[in-house]
Amino acid sequence: MNIDGDTGKQRDEFYRRMDGQALLPLWEQLHTLVPRQPASDFIPALWRYSKLRPFLMEAGRLISAEEAVRRVLVLENPGKRGQAAITPSLYAGLQLILPGEIAPSHRHTQSALRFVVEGHGAYTSVDGERTRMAPGDFIITPSWTWHDHGNPSEAEGGEPVVWLDGLDIPTVRFFGACFAENYPESRQPVLRPEGNSNARYGANLLPVHHKSRSLTSPIFKYPYERTREALETLGNHADLDDWDGVKLRYVNPTTGGWAMPTIGACMQLLPRGFQGKTRRSTDATVFSVVEGHGKAVIGGETFDFAPRDIFVVPSWTSVSLHAGGEECVLFSYSDRPIQEALGLLRELHDPL
Ligand code: GTQ
C-alpha cells in the first residue's frame, strides 16, 4: 500500500509515543522476526592454527593458568563480535596449559567438550576421575560436574597442551540458567583409578545392574585411536556417504543418544580426493581439522584447511567438503541435539 506523506508522519509520531511505553509495532518488523528462512549476522570463518598459535604461546608468557583460571583465547564469530559466540548457541576457545600448571577446579551449568589439538600428557579430572589427553581425544565435562585441568612438570615429561573448548555458553545464557561455583581447593580428590569409566561403559559393555539413563554419557573420554580405527575400517570398505564420506557421532552408551544434551559431536573421514556434495542444515557447525589438507566451500566461498585449523559453517549456509591428495579427518560439533529435541532441525541436500 502506498501511503501519503501525512499518514507516514502520523505513524512515525505514533511510533515515537508508543516507544516511550516500551511498545513496538509488529508490522514494521514482521519480516525480520519471522523470516522466510534463517538469516543471521554469523558468517563463515576459518582460523589458521599457524597464525593463532603464537598468540596462545604469548598468552602463556603473560599469564599463568592459575591466575587466568582458564587460559583461553575465544574464537568469536567475525560477523558478530562481542558475544563470545562462534554460532548463536555455541562457544569455541583454545585453551593452553603449560607443564607444571593447574587450572583450578570448578563447576558450572554449561556443558563443555574438549577436543585435544596439540601435545600429550595433560590431564583433566571430571567428577573424581582423571584422564590423560592426547591429540584427537574427545573429552566431555557435563553440566555441573567438578573439573580441573593439569599438566605434569617438564621434568616429568610435561609439554604444552592445547585443546579446543566447545561450550553451550550462549545457550545457557539464553535460558537464564547460568550457575557456577569454585571447588574449595585447586584440585578435586581423585576417587577412581584412571580408565575406570571407560572400563565400565566404553567397551560395548555396561555394568549389569546399571539402570540410569542419564542425559550425559558416563564415558568422559573417547580416545582418538579407537575413533580413528573405526573410520579407517569403514573408509577402506568404501561405505561412503556422498556428502560426509564416513561420519560417526559420539554416543551415550546408556541411551544411544548424544554424549551431552546440548552439544552433538562427530568425527569424519574424507578419503583422498573426496569431493563432497553440497548440503545445508539449520545446525551451525564448528569444525576442527585433525588430519589432512583439503577445502570447505561455505556459502560459495572456498576455505583451504590444514591440520589444527578451525572453521565454522553458519546455519542454513551451503557447505561441501573436499579432501586434497591425502585423506582428511575432521572433528565437528553443533547444537543438533537441541534442535532435534525441539523438532527444529532441517536439512537440505543438493540445494540449488
Ligand atoms: O575449562 O572450565 O573455554 O569454564 C570457558 C569456560 C573453558 C573450563 C572455557 C570454562 C572452561
Side-chain angles (χ1 to χ4, degrees):
M1 181 177 78
N2 285 323
I3 53 163
D4 58 43
D6 262 8
T7 312
K9 271 191 213 127
Q10 275 175 16
R11 286 184 188 172
D12 285 344
E13 187 273 332
F14 173 51
Y15 298 165
R16 265 195 302 279
R17 271 188 290 121
M18 70 165 91
D19 186 57
Q21 304 297 314
L23 291 171
L24 182 80
L26 170 65
W27 57 90
E28 294 289 337
Q29 303 265 340
L30 189 56
H31 53 293
T32 49
L33 287 176
V34 188
R36 290 172 58 85
Q37 58 174 45
S40 91
D41 299 334
F42 288 78
I43 59 173
L46 179 141
W47 287 261
R48 249 177 231 307
Y49 193 67
S50 57
K51 278 200 179 163
L52 219 152
R53 190 180 188 277
F55 286 99
L56 259 179
M57 296 305 146
E58 192 171 343
R61 290 190 293 274
L62 290 174
I63 190 161
S64 70
E66 191 102 47
E67 190 189 349
V69 182
R70 297 294 183 262
R71 190 204 285 116
V72 177
L73 300 186
V74 180
L75 278 54
E76 277 200 321
N77 190 291
K80 193 89 177 167
R81 299 299 307 274
Q83 312 262 315
I86 191 163
T87 75
S89 60
L90 294 171
Y91 158 106
L94 281 174
Q95 180 155 181
L96 168 68
I97 185 143
L98 292 169
E101 289 192 320
I102 293 176
S105 201
H106 69 188
R107 65 178 177 177
H108 37 71
T109 49
Q110 291 85 353
S111 300
L113 66 83
R114 328 280 170 196
F115 185 69
V116 184
V117 170
E118 174 184 342
H120 294 80
Y123 63 83
T124 192
S125 296
V126 180
D127 266 353
E129 190 175 326
R130 248 186 208 191
T131 192
R132 256 174 304 214
M133 301 176 162
D137 288 353
F138 168 68
I139 293 163
I140 61 168
T141 34
S143 178
W144 212 239
T145 52
W146 293 112
H147 55 281
D148 45 271
H149 319 298
N151 199 339
S153 69
E154 235 163 310
E156 294 165 306
E159 56 185 41
V161 173
V162 177
W163 65 81
L164 173 65
D165 278 325
L167 285 89
D168 54 8
I169 289 174
T171 299
V172 179
R173 182 167 63 201
F174 170 78
F175 286 114
C178 307
F179 295 90
E181 60 189 34
N182 292 324
Y183 196 76
E185 289 142 50
S186 64
R187 290 185 217 211
Q188 62 178 304
V190 174
L191 306 174
R192 288 182 300 279
E194 188 164 351
N196 185 279
S197 70
N198 269 53
R200 279 187 291 157
Y201 304 106
N204 294 327
L205 299 162
L206 292 179
V208 67
H209 297 301
H210 182 89
K211 290 274 183 323
S212 104
R213 292 161 55 85
S214 125
L215 284 175
T216 58
S217 173
I219 298 176
F220 70 100
K221 180 172 81 175
Y222 299 72
Y224 186 51
E225 48 191 56
R226 298 190 58 187
T227 311
R228 187 70 179 84
E229 195 186 326
L231 291 173
E232 186 76 31
T233 302
L234 296 172
N236 283 339
H237 288 83
D239 252 336
L240 296 182
D241 177 89
D242 287 347
W243 290 267
D244 289 318
V246 179
K247 189 167 184 177
L248 300 173
R249 65 183 178 86
Y250 293 94
V251 70
N252 173 347
T254 68
T255 63
W258 297 92
M260 293 189 290
T262 50
I263 314 178
C266 291
M267 191 78 104
Q268 77 192 94
L269 179 134
L270 313 176
R272 192 178 317 126
F274 180 79
Q275 300 289 329
K277 289 193 190 179
T278 303
R279 178 227 333 273
R280 54 184 167 170
S281 78
T282 50
D283 62 326
T285 305
V286 181
F287 287 84
S288 172
V289 182
V290 192
E291 294 179 35
H293 291 74
K295 65 178 186 181
V297 182
I298 312 172
E301 198 180 339
T302 298
F303 295 86
D304 292 310
F305 61 72
R308 298 171 174 159
D309 290 350
I310 291 158
F311 60 91
V312 60
V313 180
S315 165
W316 213 238
T317 304
S318 65
V319 59
S320 61
L321 301 169
H322 309 264
E326 50 195 332
E327 58 187 10
C328 295
V329 179
L330 304 175
F331 169 80
S332 59
Y333 67 97
S334 79
D335 63 10
R336 183 166 284 240
I338 307 179
Q339 294 205 28
E340 282 178 350
L342 301 181
L344 291 172
L345 187 78
R346 266 204 211 200
E347 280 184 289
L348 192 58
H349 293 79
D350 300 321
L352 289 178

PDB file of all heavy atoms in Angstrom, residues 42-47 77-78 298-299 301 303 312-314 317:
ATOM      1  N   PHE A  42      25.922 -14.074  11.802  1.00  0.00           N
ATOM      2  CA  PHE A  42      27.044 -15.017  11.915  1.00  0.00           C
ATOM      3  C   PHE A  42      27.496 -15.427  10.517  1.00  0.00           C
ATOM      4  O   PHE A  42      26.677 -15.733   9.659  1.00  0.00           O
ATOM      5  CB  PHE A  42      26.631 -16.231  12.750  1.00  0.00           C
ATOM      6  CG  PHE A  42      26.488 -15.910  14.212  1.00  0.00           C
ATOM      7  CD1 PHE A  42      25.369 -15.254  14.699  1.00  0.00           C
ATOM      8  CD2 PHE A  42      27.491 -16.259  15.113  1.00  0.00           C
ATOM      9  CE1 PHE A  42      25.249 -14.944  16.042  1.00  0.00           C
ATOM     10  CE2 PHE A  42      27.379 -15.960  16.456  1.00  0.00           C
ATOM     11  CZ  PHE A  42      26.250 -15.297  16.924  1.00  0.00           C
ATOM     12  N   ILE A  43      28.811 -15.428  10.298  1.00  0.00           N
ATOM     13  CA  ILE A  43      29.334 -15.675   8.947  1.00  0.00           C
ATOM     14  C   ILE A  43      30.314 -16.854   8.944  1.00  0.00           C
ATOM     15  O   ILE A  43      30.839 -17.238   9.987  1.00  0.00           O
ATOM     16  CB  ILE A  43      30.039 -14.410   8.387  1.00  0.00           C
ATOM     17  CG1 ILE A  43      31.206 -13.974   9.304  1.00  0.00           C
ATOM     18  CG2 ILE A  43      29.047 -13.260   8.210  1.00  0.00           C
ATOM     19  CD1 ILE A  43      32.039 -12.846   8.729  1.00  0.00           C
ATOM     20  N   PRO A  44      30.570 -17.411   7.757  1.00  0.00           N
ATOM     21  CA  PRO A  44      31.601 -18.451   7.667  1.00  0.00           C
ATOM     22  C   PRO A  44      32.962 -17.846   8.024  1.00  0.00           C
ATOM     23  O   PRO A  44      33.221 -16.678   7.719  1.00  0.00           O
ATOM     24  CB  PRO A  44      31.598 -18.842   6.178  1.00  0.00           C
ATOM     25  CG  PRO A  44      30.305 -18.324   5.619  1.00  0.00           C
ATOM     26  CD  PRO A  44      29.946 -17.128   6.446  1.00  0.00           C
ATOM     27  N   ALA A  45      33.812 -18.637   8.672  1.00  0.00           N
ATOM     28  CA  ALA A  45      35.145 -18.133   9.024  1.00  0.00           C
ATOM     29  C   ALA A  45      36.083 -19.307   9.256  1.00  0.00           C
ATOM     30  O   ALA A  45      35.630 -20.406   9.604  1.00  0.00           O
ATOM     31  CB  ALA A  45      35.072 -17.278  10.285  1.00  0.00           C
ATOM     32  N   LEU A  46      37.361 -19.064   9.045  1.00  0.00           N
ATOM     33  CA  LEU A  46      38.390 -20.079   9.331  1.00  0.00           C
ATOM     34  C   LEU A  46      39.522 -19.423  10.103  1.00  0.00           C
ATOM     35  O   LEU A  46      39.947 -18.316   9.768  1.00  0.00           O
ATOM     36  CB  LEU A  46      38.906 -20.694   8.022  1.00  0.00           C
ATOM     37  CG  LEU A  46      40.004 -21.768   8.177  1.00  0.00           C
ATOM     38  CD1 LEU A  46      39.794 -22.909   7.185  1.00  0.00           C
ATOM     39  CD2 LEU A  46      41.410 -21.193   8.006  1.00  0.00           C
ATOM     40  N   TRP A  47      39.960 -20.095  11.157  1.00  0.00           N
ATOM     41  CA  TRP A  47      41.121 -19.635  11.937  1.00  0.00           C
ATOM     42  C   TRP A  47      42.285 -20.567  11.621  1.00  0.00           C
ATOM     43  O   TRP A  47      42.178 -21.780  11.825  1.00  0.00           O
ATOM     44  CB  TRP A  47      40.824 -19.689  13.439  1.00  0.00           C
ATOM     45  CG  TRP A  47      39.902 -18.638  13.933  1.00  0.00           C
ATOM     46  CD1 TRP A  47      40.242 -17.469  14.548  1.00  0.00           C
ATOM     47  CD2 TRP A  47      38.458 -18.654  13.893  1.00  0.00           C
ATOM     48  NE1 TRP A  47      39.109 -16.756  14.871  1.00  0.00           N
ATOM     49  CE2 TRP A  47      37.996 -17.452  14.485  1.00  0.00           C
ATOM     50  CE3 TRP A  47      37.499 -19.565  13.390  1.00  0.00           C
ATOM     51  CZ2 TRP A  47      36.644 -17.141  14.603  1.00  0.00           C
ATOM     52  CZ3 TRP A  47      36.154 -19.246  13.506  1.00  0.00           C
ATOM     53  CH2 TRP A  47      35.747 -18.058  14.109  1.00  0.00           C
ATOM     54  N   ASN A  77      32.863 -15.265  16.406  1.00  0.00           N
ATOM     55  CA  ASN A  77      32.444 -15.151  15.007  1.00  0.00           C
ATOM     56  C   ASN A  77      32.668 -13.718  14.531  1.00  0.00           C
ATOM     57  O   ASN A  77      32.192 -12.772  15.152  1.00  0.00           O
ATOM     58  CB  ASN A  77      30.981 -15.548  14.853  1.00  0.00           C
ATOM     59  CG  ASN A  77      30.616 -15.679  13.387  1.00  0.00           C
ATOM     60  OD1 ASN A  77      30.564 -14.697  12.658  1.00  0.00           O
ATOM     61  ND2 ASN A  77      30.396 -16.899  12.952  1.00  0.00           N
ATOM     62  N   PRO A  78      33.426 -13.538  13.431  1.00  0.00           N
ATOM     63  CA  PRO A  78      33.767 -12.177  12.988  1.00  0.00           C
ATOM     64  C   PRO A  78      32.553 -11.343  12.580  1.00  0.00           C
ATOM     65  O   PRO A  78      32.631 -10.113  12.574  1.00  0.00           O
ATOM     66  CB  PRO A  78      34.670 -12.396  11.767  1.00  0.00           C
ATOM     67  CG  PRO A  78      34.921 -13.847  11.661  1.00  0.00           C
ATOM     68  CD  PRO A  78      34.004 -14.585  12.575  1.00  0.00           C
ATOM     69  N   ILE A 298      32.019 -22.895   1.662  1.00  0.00           N
ATOM     70  CA  ILE A 298      30.953 -22.499   2.599  1.00  0.00           C
ATOM     71  C   ILE A 298      30.280 -21.249   2.051  1.00  0.00           C
ATOM     72  O   ILE A 298      30.932 -20.212   1.903  1.00  0.00           O
ATOM     73  CB  ILE A 298      31.520 -22.213   4.000  1.00  0.00           C
ATOM     74  CG1 ILE A 298      32.468 -23.325   4.467  1.00  0.00           C
ATOM     75  CG2 ILE A 298      30.392 -22.015   5.007  1.00  0.00           C
ATOM     76  CD1 ILE A 298      33.207 -23.022   5.764  1.00  0.00           C
ATOM     77  N   GLY A 299      29.003 -21.368   1.733  1.00  0.00           N
ATOM     78  CA  GLY A 299      28.280 -20.227   1.165  1.00  0.00           C
ATOM     79  C   GLY A 299      28.959 -19.706  -0.090  1.00  0.00           C
ATOM     80  O   GLY A 299      29.022 -18.498  -0.316  1.00  0.00           O
ATOM     81  N   GLU A 301      32.072 -19.607  -0.745  1.00  0.00           N
ATOM     82  CA  GLU A 301      33.437 -19.132  -0.501  1.00  0.00           C
ATOM     83  C   GLU A 301      34.329 -20.337  -0.186  1.00  0.00           C
ATOM     84  O   GLU A 301      33.928 -21.215   0.592  1.00  0.00           O
ATOM     85  CB  GLU A 301      33.399 -18.183   0.700  1.00  0.00           C
ATOM     86  CG  GLU A 301      34.591 -17.273   0.834  1.00  0.00           C
ATOM     87  CD  GLU A 301      34.443 -16.369   2.079  1.00  0.00           C
ATOM     88  OE1 GLU A 301      33.301 -16.186   2.565  1.00  0.00           O
ATOM     89  OE2 GLU A 301      35.481 -15.888   2.555  1.00  0.00           O
ATOM     90  N   PHE A 303      37.465 -22.164   1.550  1.00  0.00           N
ATOM     91  CA  PHE A 303      38.409 -22.071   2.664  1.00  0.00           C
ATOM     92  C   PHE A 303      39.327 -23.289   2.597  1.00  0.00           C
ATOM     93  O   PHE A 303      38.868 -24.410   2.774  1.00  0.00           O
ATOM     94  CB  PHE A 303      37.673 -22.068   4.010  1.00  0.00           C
ATOM     95  CG  PHE A 303      36.809 -20.862   4.228  1.00  0.00           C
ATOM     96  CD1 PHE A 303      35.493 -20.825   3.746  1.00  0.00           C
ATOM     97  CD2 PHE A 303      37.292 -19.756   4.918  1.00  0.00           C
ATOM     98  CE1 PHE A 303      34.698 -19.713   3.942  1.00  0.00           C
ATOM     99  CE2 PHE A 303      36.496 -18.634   5.118  1.00  0.00           C
ATOM    100  CZ  PHE A 303      35.198 -18.608   4.629  1.00  0.00           C
ATOM    101  N   VAL A 312      34.002 -22.520  10.786  1.00  0.00           N
ATOM    102  CA  VAL A 312      32.608 -22.574  11.216  1.00  0.00           C
ATOM    103  C   VAL A 312      31.688 -22.386  10.011  1.00  0.00           C
ATOM    104  O   VAL A 312      31.943 -21.541   9.152  1.00  0.00           O
ATOM    105  CB  VAL A 312      32.328 -21.527  12.329  1.00  0.00           C
ATOM    106  CG1 VAL A 312      32.605 -20.100  11.884  1.00  0.00           C
ATOM    107  CG2 VAL A 312      30.880 -21.639  12.834  1.00  0.00           C
ATOM    108  N   VAL A 313      30.663 -23.221   9.978  1.00  0.00           N
ATOM    109  CA  VAL A 313      29.630 -23.159   8.942  1.00  0.00           C
ATOM    110  C   VAL A 313      28.350 -22.647   9.601  1.00  0.00           C
ATOM    111  O   VAL A 313      27.794 -23.336  10.463  1.00  0.00           O
ATOM    112  CB  VAL A 313      29.372 -24.563   8.343  1.00  0.00           C
ATOM    113  CG1 VAL A 313      28.294 -24.489   7.271  1.00  0.00           C
ATOM    114  CG2 VAL A 313      30.654 -25.164   7.797  1.00  0.00           C
ATOM    115  N   PRO A 314      27.884 -21.448   9.240  1.00  0.00           N
ATOM    116  CA  PRO A 314      26.674 -20.936   9.890  1.00  0.00           C
ATOM    117  C   PRO A 314      25.429 -21.728   9.487  1.00  0.00           C
ATOM    118  O   PRO A 314      25.454 -22.491   8.522  1.00  0.00           O
ATOM    119  CB  PRO A 314      26.574 -19.493   9.377  1.00  0.00           C
ATOM    120  CG  PRO A 314      27.919 -19.160   8.839  1.00  0.00           C
ATOM    121  CD  PRO A 314      28.489 -20.457   8.337  1.00  0.00           C
ATOM    122  N   THR A 317      23.689 -22.372   5.724  1.00  0.00           N
ATOM    123  CA  THR A 317      24.654 -21.933   4.722  1.00  0.00           C
ATOM    124  C   THR A 317      25.160 -23.181   4.008  1.00  0.00           C
ATOM    125  O   THR A 317      25.497 -24.172   4.664  1.00  0.00           O
ATOM    126  CB  THR A 317      25.825 -21.206   5.423  1.00  0.00           C
ATOM    127  OG1 THR A 317      25.289 -20.145   6.197  1.00  0.00           O
ATOM    128  CG2 THR A 317      26.811 -20.652   4.418  1.00  0.00           C
TER     129      THR A 317
END
